[in-house]
Amino acid sequence: MGAPGTAHNITVEAPTRALATIRIVIWQPRRSRYTARMDTPAFDHTLFAGCAAQIIQHTRELAARGWTPATAGNFSIRMSPEHAAITISGKDKGRLTEADIMVVDMANNPVATHHRPSAEAALHTHLYRKFPDVGAVLHTHSPTQTIAGLLYADEGRVRLRGYELFKALRGHTTHEIEVDLPVVPNAQDMDVLTASVDAVLEHPNTWGYLIAGHGLYAWGRDINEARRHLDAFEFMLGCELEMRRLGAR
Ligand SMILES: CSC[C@@H](O)[C@@H](O)C(=O)COP(=O)(O)O
Ligand SMILES: [Zn+2]
């Protein structure tokens, strides 16, 4: 018997005593895509599951605060230099399960899935490519973030002054400074939006930006640090809006 997949010609004696040639092909199962993936996993599933669990925990808390209305918001964790775990587009961020999170490469291509990543995946991978030490990116649409983005769109930044909470931002050790939170115009074209963001991320220790009428992006070395930055910006923006109401800004 030959190797699987090879063809053989054998000669047999037919009933008429004439010689007949029969072609026999030895069957070999086709190598399926699934089998190929099992041989060389596209990513470490244990690592993915750990990242998904962290994303789920934070998104539930943020949704409970009303910061992800009507499926808004997207969330990711860098898994490796090549891959990030990120929320699938259009999911209710308050009810995520592991099945609502997928893997993309740093060019936003889905990895080993047919799901569609967040419509704003490009903003996440932009940060991962630009800053190799960024480990997680969180994006929310709280009322405070949305309003602040509209109010400060023309200035292109929210200038924050004198907050003790600056010390919650990596690299800052005092309230005696000014911190500019950049504000970029909203756009549905992700190339346009990414270019606007890229142009305002020149200062070291910038940990977030607002998109006008849209929401806040915040990031950090890991998801806990990104969350601390998100919470700090939300708090300081809330104070800024309150001071405007009081006529102090
Ligand atoms: C539901 S409107 C908000 C979206 O347009 C978008 O800004 C957003 O944050 C969520 O998009 P998604 O594709 O689910 O990641
Ligand atoms: Zn958004």
Side-chain angles (χ1 to χ4, degrees), residues 58-102:
H58 282 280
T59 50
R60 284 194 185 153
E61 292 171 11
L62 296 168
R65 293 186 186 175
W67 296 9
T68 65
T71 77
N74 31 72
F75 305 86
S76 71
I77 295 180
R78 188 201 292 267
M79 293 171 55
S80 70
E82 295 85 27
H83 294 145
I86 190 165
T87 44
I88 291 174
S89 186
K91 300 292 181 176
D92 179 341
K93 307 309 185 303
R95 297 168 184 238
L96 295 180
T97 68
E98 189 181 301
D100 299 317
I101 297 165
M102 59 179 285

Side-chain angles (χ1 to χ4, degrees), residues 186-208:
N186 199 11
Q188 299 305 324
D189 182 325
M190 284 304 123
D191 291 339
V192 171
L193 194 48
T194 304
S196 302
V197 170
D198 195 58
V200 296
L201 294 185
E202 298 311 322
H203 297 291
N205 293 320
T206 299
W207 298 109

Side-chain angles (χ1 to χ4, degrees), residues 160-239:
L160 303 165
R161 291 190 199 91
Y163 287 103
E164 175 69 9
L165 227 58
F166 287 156
K167 289 156 66 182
L169 305 176
R170 172 176 281 275
H172 295 294
T173 55
T174 176
H175 64 286
E176 293 176 318
I177 51 169
E178 293 178 339
V179 171
D180 282 345
L181 179 64
V183 184
V184 299
N186 199 11
Q188 299 305 324
D189 182 325
M190 284 304 123
D191 291 339
V192 171
L193 194 48
T194 304
S196 302
V197 170
D198 195 58
V200 296
L201 294 185
E202 298 311 322
H203 297 291
N205 293 320
T206 299
W207 298 109
Y209 58 81
L210 283 171
I211 306 176
H214 182 155
L216 176 70
Y217 272 83
W219 56 92
R221 301 241 173 136
D222 57 32
I223 196 165
N224 292 325
E225 185 173 275
R227 174 66 184 275
R228 196 178 74 228
H229 293 162
L230 179 72
D231 287 349
F233 284 129
E234 170 75 15
F235 177 85
M236 291 187 280
L237 289 172
C239 292

Side-chain angles (χ1 to χ4, degrees), residues 146-164:
T146 307
I147 294 167
L150 287 171
L151 286 175
Y152 292 88
D154 289 346
E155 288 177 50
R157 67 178 183 213
V158 183
R159 176 150 286 181
L160 303 165
R161 291 190 199 91
Y163 287 103
E164 175 69 9

